[in-house]
Amino acid sequence: MEQDVKVTIIDREGVSHTIEAPTDMAMNLMEIVRLYELAPEGTIGICGGMAMCASCQCYVLSDTELPEMQEDEDAMLAEAFYVKNNSRLGCQIQMTPEMEGLKVELAPES
Amino acid sequence: MIKTDILIIGAGPTGLFAVFEAGLLKLKCHLIDALPQPGGQCSELYPKKPIYDIPGFPEILADDLTKNLLEQCKQFEPGFTLGERADTLEKQEDGTFIVTTNKGTKHHAPIVAIAGGLGSFEPRKPLIHNLVSFEDKGVEYIIKEPEFYRDKKVVIAGGGDSALDWSIYLSNIASEVTLIHRRNEFRGALDSVDKVQELKDAGKINLITPAEVVGLVGHHELKAVVVSQSAHINKEYEVECDHFIPLFGLSPKLGPLGNWGLEIEKNAIKVNNALDYQTNIPGVFAIGDVNTYPGKLKLILCGFHEATLMCQAAYQIINPGKRYVLKYTTVSGVDGFDGSRKEAPKAVVKKIE
Ligand SMILES: Cc1cc2nc3c(=O)[nH]c(=O)nc-3n(C[C@H](O)[C@H](O)[C@H](O)COP(=O)(O)OP(=O)(O)OC[C@H]3O[C@@H](n4cnc5c(N)ncnc54)[C@H](O)[C@@H]3O)c2cc1C
Ligand code: FES
């Protein structure tokens, strides 16, 4: 089994959670949030992770090197609300060993 | 007042299949959905995507599943109240229910089946400070009747399929169509993007990119939108219009269902899954994605199963004490309310000489 990574997620109420995320389950950050129930059901992952709803938008606070943004993620963020320079879609960030120490804050629900 | 046997809230796959199962028991259904079209998540979120876990279908497009479900339940003549949200549930003295929509349409039934999925699909509203005050005074989020825009000046905002498709469609109806998007790139089917390019070149669509609508102008009715364009230098100016249609997708909200006195857990309605998916209000059931119970899975096939059991329980409530024995469709055929009959061809009995 591959190792877990520690990631920190600040939920929409401002509470910080540092959790162990598995790297061997093909999970993305949006799914980790749902796994740990850090956002109410039905408020995150609406499109199932197809970069088509932006319900998983988060602000990246650490300088972790993230996978490069693909065209569809970039286009979706262009249509989302509350977007900042450090916005990413959680469903497009796969949990790999490189994500150790990642820190994000969930964007408001819209 | 619309009267029916089972009033179904939500016309997603679960609600549509419930119509068929109810029909086999001679119960009539009426469906309410906030979306202008049936299909629920399948039609709103991923119509062109394949599903691989519908039993008996190795692969089926979400749109085709919706089409098939409509075809399958057609002979039971379901009624539809589309584009309206079910807002209130009132229990009558005789135990029946009246459900009223946000448009005031009233529905009366002895059984209410909530098949509301993740909630009613509500438009995602851009953060423009005075947007809400112009709702229905020139601002619409869903296009129900394209003719409404005949010879009007329309501004559409958004960068996805619906913004592209409606710009194309309305360019033949409205006197002027302006499409505004934060980027020069659009996220949609290739032929829609090409078509908009063509219409722009022909002067039939005004394209303003990269730009954003930042305010609305008007007294009681919308007169113009304030556009902020960031080409080389930032500039702000007004674009005159009669209608502003922001198309940023829809997102599901449990909304009014949360105030019906139902037991809610994790944004879903708690039901008795040992029996019949009834809620804490007798006569009100919750089926499909909208319910929760230990071990719940939000899958289409689970919704189908729940719909089937719900109909049996509804039959018992509507026909108290009446005996019922399960019949196979293959053996007894399907008798539609429209007089149609489907049945298996009879085996031939013939001598071989
Ligand atoms: C991208 C994606 C991929 C998926 N892939 C699969 C898959 O491969 N296999 C699978 O089994 N499932 C899949 N699903 C899940 C599947 O779509 C759902 O399980 C299914 O749609 C649930 O059906 P439903 O009828 O219960 O609810 P929904 O499809 O959510 O329909 C509910 C309807 O109720 C309406 N509604 C709710 N409240 C109200 C109200 N108060 N008034 C009026 N209308 C209301 C809503 O507008 C909506 O149209 C996927 C989902 C997504 C988003
Ligand atoms: S879950 Fe929809 S964009 Fe990420």
Side-chain angles (χ1 to χ4, degrees):
Chain A
M1 204 186 95
E2 283 189 58
Q3 89 244 43
D4 288 355
V5 289
K6 262 202 176 57
V7 300
T8 301
I9 297 166
I10 300 173
D11 67 24
R12 292 181 184 136
E13 261 79 65
V15 182
S16 174
H17 308 263
T18 298
I19 54 176
E20 307 268 330
T23 57
D24 58 347
M25 305 269 292
M27 273 202 219
N28 59 49
L29 187 62
M30 175 273 283
E31 291 167 327
I32 296 292
V33 173
R34 296 185 64 175
L35 182 70
Y36 283 92
E37 300 184 6
L38 301 181
E41 263 297 295
T43 66
I44 187 163
I46 307 288
C47 76
M50 294 191 302
M52 281 180 63
C53 71
S55 65
C56 62
Q57 187 192 166
C58 56
Y59 309 120
V60 178
L61 304 177
S62 55
D63 49 16
T64 315
E65 198 160 322
L66 295 176
E68 211 178 311
M69 209 186 279
Q70 302 294 304
E71 248 180 9
D72 49 350
E73 178 179 354
D74 188 47
M76 185 64 237
L77 281 170
E79 273 194 276
F81 309 142
Y82 308 107
V83 176
K84 300 183 192 171
N85 286 335
N86 58 345
S87 282
R88 289 293 302 255
L89 295 178
C91 67
Q92 303 301 307
I93 301 177
Q94 287 297 321
M95 287 299 112
T96 59
E98 289 74 49
M99 294 303 117
E100 174 67 38
L102 174 67
K103 184 172 181 183
V104 300
E105 180 184 353
L106 301 183
E109 195 188 336
S110 64
Chain B
M1 178 97 73
I2 295 166
K3 282 185 191 295
T4 190
D5 294 323
I6 305 183
L7 179 65
I8 302 173
I9 297 168
T14 307
L16 292 176
F17 190 64
V19 174
F20 177 77
E21 286 295 328
L24 293 179
L25 301 173
K26 309 246 175 304
L27 301 176
K28 215 174 158 349
C29 296
H30 187 96
L31 302 106
I32 306 178
D33 205 301
L35 293 176
Q37 81 280 342
Q41 294 172 50
C42 293
S43 73
E44 187 52 41
L45 297 176
Y46 59 109
K48 301 280 182 295
K49 302 260 190 254
I51 309 173
Y52 301 105
D53 58 353
I54 304 298
F57 288 92
E59 175 175 346
I60 183 167
L61 293 184
D63 242 356
D64 290 338
L65 177 67
T66 305
K67 238 186 274 157
N68 287 357
L69 286 165
L70 283 167
E71 175 63 28
Q72 190 170 26
C73 71
K74 189 177 71 184
Q75 74 269 27
F76 295 125
E77 302 180 312
F80 287 95
T81 301
L82 294 177
E84 298 185 24
R85 188 185 62 217
D87 268 1
T88 60
L89 171 84
E90 293 162 275
K91 191 162 191 157
Q92 306 304 110
E93 265 173 29
D94 62 355
T96 60
F97 300 92
I98 291 182
V99 171
T100 309
T101 67
N102 57 335
K103 299 275 161 71
T105 314
K106 289 190 183 291
H107 306 75
H108 185 203
I111 301 290
V112 174
I114 303 174
L118 306 172
S120 84
F121 277 98
E122 305 285 333
R124 293 176 52 234
K125 303 178 181 179
L127 312 169
I128 301 170
H129 66 281
N130 57 351
L131 184 69
V132 179
S133 51
F134 284 98
E135 282 175 6
D136 293 324
K137 292 175 190 141
V139 170
E140 294 93 31
Y141 307 100
I142 294 180
I143 298 173
K144 278 190 211 144
E145 189 38 77
E147 273 305 315
F148 182 65
Y149 300 99
R150 177 153 307 274
D151 302 326
K152 297 280 166 42
K153 290 184 184 148
V154 177
V155 171
I156 292 177
D161 273 316
S162 52
L164 291 167
D165 293 347
W166 281 115
S167 298
I168 296 168
Y169 196 92
L170 291 182
S171 67
N172 275 323
I173 294 176
S175 63
E176 216 179 277
V177 173
T178 304
L179 176 58
I180 299 178
H181 181 40
R182 272 195 232 153
R183 295 282 181 85
N184 297 320
E185 298 82 27
F186 285 82
R187 178 179 63 94
L190 190 60
D191 30 332
S192 321
V193 179
D194 288 347
K195 183 81 194 166
V196 169
Q197 178 75 57
E198 209 177 282
L199 289 166
K200 183 204 163 205
D201 296 341
K204 298 198 69 177
I205 292 180
N206 313 323
L207 198 62
I208 309 183
T209 59
E212 213 173 329
V213 172
V214 293
L216 306 180
V217 186
H219 222 38
H220 296 292
E221 279 176 1
L222 185 68
K223 286 271 179 297
V225 295
V226 183
V227 177
S228 159
Q229 188 169 18
S230 44
H232 298 289
I233 37 160
N234 233 355
K235 52 178 178 173
E236 241 180 60
Y237 54 92
E238 289 183 10
V239 174
E240 249 182 68
C241 64
D242 306 304
H243 292 277
F244 173 50
I245 315 172
L247 296 173
F248 292 93
L250 305 177
S251 94
K253 298 269 179 295
L254 197 57
L257 296 180
N259 310 324
W260 287 10
L262 298 158
E263 239 182 291
I264 307 278
E265 189 180 283
K266 291 186 191 167
N267 268 335
I269 303 168
K270 262 174 104 170
V271 292
N272 175 357
N273 69 310
L275 218 51
D276 51 13
Y277 305 100
Q278 207 156 174
T279 65
N280 57 319
I281 304 180
V284 178
F285 296 78
I287 51 176
D289 275 16
V290 81
N291 75 14
T292 184
Y293 51 81
K296 167 71 182 179
L297 287 180
K298 291 188 180 180
L299 285 177
I300 296 168
L301 74 95
C302 298
F304 289 168
H305 166 80
E306 294 164 12
T308 309
L309 295 194
M310 177 280 291
C311 288
Q312 295 288 329
Y315 180 86
Q316 289 303 330
I317 296 176
I318 294 176
N319 304 293
K322 204 160 166 185
R323 303 265 176 120
Y324 172 78
V325 51
L326 176 73
K327 288 183 194 285
Y328 294 130
T329 54
T330 312
V331 180
S332 17
V334 177
D335 288 300
F337 298 161
D338 55 359
S340 68
R341 175 164 171 81
K342 286 184 190 156
E343 61 185 337
K346 292 263 181 301
V348 285
V349 180
K350 199 178 167 194
K351 189 159 41 174
I352 300 179
E353 295 181 81

